[in-house]
Amino acid sequence: MLLGEWKLEEAMEYKEQKGREEGRKEGREEGKLLEREKMIYALKGVLASEVIAEKFQLSLEYVLAVLSGASVVSEPEVPYNVKKKE
C-alpha cells in the first residue's frame, strides 16, 4: 500500500490551478511589456532614442526595434548600463 494516497480528481484540480496561476503571471508580464512599448512609442518625437533607452534602462537596440514597429521585439536579459561620455 502507498504511504500517501492521491486521487486523480485532486491531482487534476491542482494541475489546473497551477496552470491558471502561470497564465495570470504571463499575462501580467505581457501587459507590462506592451505598456512599456506604448510609452516608448509615445516618446518617439519628443526624446532621442538614446535618451529613451537611458531613461527606461533598456538597450538601444530594443528601443530602436520598438520605434521601428517591428512585429517581434525581443529584449535581451542583460541589464542596460549607461556609460556617459566624458
Side-chain angles (χ1 to χ4, degrees):
M1 184 171 193
L2 295 173
L3 294 175
E5 294 184 24
W6 60 274
K7 295 181 182 178
L8 182 59
E9 291 176 14
E10 291 176 2
M12 295 300 288
E13 285 178 23
Y14 177 78
K15 181 180 176 185
E16 190 174 313
Q17 179 183 2
K18 283 295 186 184
R20 282 193 203 114
E21 289 173 6
E22 289 178 19
R24 286 187 198 108
K25 180 180 177 185
E26 289 176 8
R28 284 191 298 268
E29 290 172 2
E30 185 175 323
K32 288 178 185 177
L33 286 175
L34 290 174
E35 191 65 30
R36 180 170 57 192
E37 289 176 7
K38 287 179 186 177
M39 290 171 44
I40 291 170
Y41 197 74
L43 294 171
K44 182 177 184 178
V46 179
L47 297 173
S49 304
E50 295 82 8
V51 176
I52 296 172
E54 182 180 336
K55 295 296 181 187
F56 286 103
Q57 296 183 348
L58 300 169
S59 68
L60 180 58
E61 293 80 16
Y62 176 77
V63 172
L64 291 174
V66 170
L67 294 176
S68 71
S71 59
V72 177
V73 179
S74 131
E75 181 180 356
E77 297 296 323
V78 181
Y80 180 72
N81 295 319
V82 178
K83 295 180 182 176
K84 295 187 178 186
K85 295 180 183 178
E86 294 180 19

